[in-house]
Amino acid sequence: MKILVPWTVLNRERFVLTVQPGLSLPTGRWPNPNSLVPFQAGSGRWVVGSKVVSQLEFARNFLVIGTAGAHFPFPSTMRKRVPLNADDALPADLDAEVTVSDGWLTEAQLDVKWQFLRSWSVRTGIQSQHRFKSSHQGSAFAAERYRLLDDRSEESLQSLSFNLEFFTLKAFLDGDFLFPVQVIAGLGLPLTGIGTLADPVFAIQGSFFF
C-alpha cells in the first residue's frame, strides 16, 4: 500500500509540474521460512520517496510526460529459512537474523501519451532505473559472505514501454463514475542493464483512488 501527497507546483494551460512525495507501507509478508518459493505479496518494509512529474500538451490530446524520482527503503531484519531436513541444510556460518538495508532506487522516464477517448489512452516511452548496492549486517565471521551479497546487489535497467490505460478520473469528475479507477496493461522491452532480466515483461496493474 502506498500513500501519495501530490502537490501541483505549476499549472498552466498546456504545462503542469507536480511533486509527489510518498510513503509505502509494509503491507507484505516475508516468505514462509519453510518454503523454497521466494515470492510474497509486498515487500514487508517501509519505503519513503518522491517524484517530480512534468506534463506538456504539444497538440490536442497528445502529451509529453517526464518523470524523475528517488526511493529510500528503511532497514529491515531478515530471518534465515529453517532447513527441512539434512539434505536441505544451510551453511553453518549464516546468521539466524541479518539486518538488510536495500540500496536506494532512482528512476527517470520520458513518455508520449495519446488520449483517444475520455477514459482511454495509449502511452509509450523510455525508462531508466538504477538501484544502488544493498548492505547486509550480521556476525563478523560472515562478513565476507555479506560483502559478496552487497557486491551483487546493484542493478540498473534501461527499457522501452508500451501501455494501454483506462482511467476514470474525468468520468468521476463528470459524475458518471463512483470513484477514480486506473487499469494499465503494459509491455516492457529491456534494452540494457546490470543484474536484471533480459526478457520482455507483460503486466497488468490496477489502482483505486479514494
Side-chain angles (χ1 to χ4, degrees):
M1 180 181 295
K2 180 180 293 185
I3 299 175
L4 296 176
V5 187
W7 171 43
T8 301
V9 179
L10 189 63
N11 191 354
R12 297 291 184 264
E13 183 179 357
R14 292 183 175 273
F15 180 77
V16 178
L17 181 64
T18 305
V19 178
Q20 297 180 351
L23 177 68
S24 295
L25 307 181
T27 52
R29 295 181 177 180
W30 290 104
N32 184 335
N34 291 320
S35 174
L36 295 177
V37 181
F39 300 108
Q40 70 274 4
S43 63
R45 65 191 63 189
W46 296 88
V47 181
V48 64
S50 184
K51 284 184 179 181
V52 177
V53 181
S54 61
Q55 180 175 290
L56 173 66
E57 183 179 7
F58 66 93
R60 181 176 176 82
N61 296 329
F62 283 89
L63 301 173
V64 174
I65 303 171
T67 304
H71 308 276
F72 305 88
F74 286 36
S76 59
T77 299
M78 180 174 60
R79 298 183 184 278
K80 185 176 68 175
R81 181 174 58 82
V82 178
L84 298 177
N85 50 52
D87 296 329
D88 187 35
L90 297 175
D93 59 346
L94 282 181
D95 297 322
E97 294 185 357
V98 180
T99 300
V100 182
S101 299
D102 284 338
W104 54 292
L105 173 69
T106 60
E107 57 179 332
Q109 183 170 337
L110 184 64
D111 292 329
V112 176
K113 180 179 180 179
W114 173 40
Q115 189 88 29
F116 61 90
L117 290 174
R118 181 175 63 167
S119 298
W120 290 91
S121 63
V122 291
R123 181 168 175 167
T124 183
I126 186 169
Q127 299 86 33
S128 178
Q129 299 173 299
H130 187 92
R131 184 182 298 278
F132 292 83
K133 289 183 179 180
S134 300
S135 173
H136 295 72
Q137 296 179 351
S139 299
F141 62 78
E144 187 63 29
R145 185 182 299 275
Y146 299 138
R147 191 176 301 114
L148 179 62
L149 291 174
D150 294 343
D151 290 341
R152 293 181 176 180
S153 62
E154 188 168 5
E155 299 175 334
S156 67
L157 176 65
Q158 291 73 45
S159 60
L160 294 174
S161 66
F162 305 89
N163 298 318
L164 174 64
E165 302 183 6
F166 174 70
F167 192 18
T168 65
L169 178 60
K170 290 184 178 179
F172 167 73
L173 295 175
D174 293 340
D176 298 331
F177 217 87
L178 293 178
F179 50 85
V181 175
Q182 184 178 40
V183 179
I184 302 174
L187 176 66
L189 300 176
L191 299 177
T192 61
I194 299 174
T196 55
L197 295 176
D199 297 326
V201 176
F202 177 77
I204 298 178
Q205 174 183 329
S207 302
F208 298 92
F209 301 87
F210 299 98

